[in-house]
């Protein structure tokens, strides 16, 4: 029996990728949406059995759509796709009862397995994310926006927060400017930020960036 799926993602490439992963499986995409508001409309119109939402979408994001569903008593399975989940979004998703979280760069290998598990009533959230959400909850929800970063990535993000350019960061951390650029790309993906300014603001919130940021 085919399982009806609603897919909401504002990137054409990702929608095509998900469709390719599910092709030939028992999961059939019956409707797509490019933003959170359209996803809510599609829920009523198409009545899918499982939902796949991108975390970052125009209008309501994937977590907000999940929260809206749960608030109105809709408990059908929701799989969140993400390139990087900030602490506040992770905590909100877990509290709302997200059924699965799948990293976009791992979707080709893990999305179908996640769908099989949630359709069977199981949860498929990486243990490290559940532990992080628990730690945040015990800490009263206080979030560290740079928590997803490895130590070296955090050093670079902090330098960005201090207003340093790539060349200056490279000199300070004894690496090439090209390596700094590679790190920054990975940092943007993990934190879900689009540019240097957003990263600088996020780094500044930790208090590690110091007074050089303006």
């Amino acid at each position: 029996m085919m399982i009806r799926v609603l897919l909401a993602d504002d990137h054409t490439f990702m929608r095509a990728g998900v469709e390719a992963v599910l092709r030939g499986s028992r999961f059939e995409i019956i409707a797509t949406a490019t933003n959170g508001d359209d996803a809510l409309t599609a829920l009523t119109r198409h009545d899918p059995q499982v939902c796949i939402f991108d975390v970052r979408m125009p209008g309501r994001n994937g977590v907000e759509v999940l929260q809206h569903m749960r608030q109105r008593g809709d408990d059908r399975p929701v799989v969140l796709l993400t390139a990087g989940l900030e602490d506040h979004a992770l905590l909100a998703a877990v509290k709302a009862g997200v059924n699965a979280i799948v990293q976009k760069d791992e979707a080709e290998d893990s999305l179908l397995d996640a769908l099989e598990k949630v359709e069977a009533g199981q949860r498929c959230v990486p243990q490290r994310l559940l532990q992080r959400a628990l730690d945040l909850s015990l800490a009263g929800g206080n979030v560290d926006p740079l928590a997803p970063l490895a130590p070296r990535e955090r050093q670079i993000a902090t330098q960005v927060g201090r207003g340093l350019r790539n060349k200056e960061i490279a000199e300070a951390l004894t690496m090439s400017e090209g390596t700094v650029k590679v790190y920054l790309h990975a940092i943007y993906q993990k934190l879900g930020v689009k540019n240097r300014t957003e990263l600088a603001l996020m780094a500044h919130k930790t208090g590690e960036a110091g007074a050089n940021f303006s």
Side-chain angles (χ1 to χ4, degrees):
M1 182 181 296
M2 299 300 292
I3 306 299
R4 303 185 307 278
V5 177
L6 166 64
L7 170 62
D9 194 305
D10 60 320
H11 294 99
T12 303
F13 181 78
M14 276 305 302
R15 292 198 303 274
V18 171
E19 289 173 354
V21 170
L22 301 189
R23 191 172 298 127
S25 75
R26 66 193 187 103
F27 294 91
E28 178 184 13
I29 296 176
I30 59 167
T32 60
T34 58
N35 60 69
D37 294 325
D38 286 349
L40 289 173
T41 299
L43 279 169
T44 301
R45 181 175 300 167
H46 299 283
D47 191 28
Q49 294 166 274
V50 180
C51 302
I52 303 173
F53 298 146
D54 184 11
V55 168
R56 294 175 65 89
M57 293 187 291
R60 284 188 175 93
N61 61 41
V63 176
E64 290 169 336
V65 176
L66 167 65
Q67 290 174 319
H68 186 84
M69 290 173 61
R70 298 304 188 243
Q71 288 167 3
R72 68 185 190 186
D74 188 337
D75 61 355
R76 77 188 84 192
V78 171
V79 177
L80 290 179
L81 285 177
T82 179
L85 203 55
E86 297 176 22
D87 280 349
H88 67 87
L90 169 62
L91 187 57
V94 172
K95 284 184 174 180
V98 65
N99 302 87
I101 299 176
V102 175
Q103 296 286 333
K104 286 188 174 183
D105 59 0
E106 300 173 357
E108 185 175 356
D109 298 319
S110 58
L111 178 58
L112 193 56
D113 178 63
L115 287 169
E116 290 284 2
K117 287 180 178 177
V118 302
E119 199 277 327
Q122 303 174 42
R123 205 175 196 188
C124 189
V125 178
Q127 184 58 41
R128 62 182 177 81
L129 295 182
L130 289 174
Q131 185 60 53
R132 179 60 185 164
L134 176 60
D135 292 343
L136 290 168
S137 182
L138 292 174
N142 294 324
V143 299
D144 174 6
L146 302 184
L149 302 182
R152 198 60 160 173
E153 293 170 335
R154 191 182 187 98
Q155 286 181 321
I156 292 172
T158 298
Q159 298 299 324
V160 170
R162 290 172 176 164
L164 273 64
R165 309 309 300 172
N166 288 357
K167 183 178 181 181
E168 296 170 318
I169 295 173
E171 292 173 353
L173 300 180
T174 318
M175 62 176 63
S176 71
E177 190 172 350
T179 300
V180 174
K181 290 180 180 178
V182 172
Y183 269 112
L184 283 174
H185 178 73
I187 290 167
Y188 290 169
Q189 291 294 311
K190 283 188 177 182
L191 298 182
V193 299
K194 298 179 181 179
N195 54 52
R196 195 181 196 89
T197 300
E198 289 185 8
L199 175 59
L201 290 169
M202 186 175 290
H204 191 56
K205 291 179 182 178
T206 67
E208 297 177 16
N212 292 332
F213 177 80
S214 60

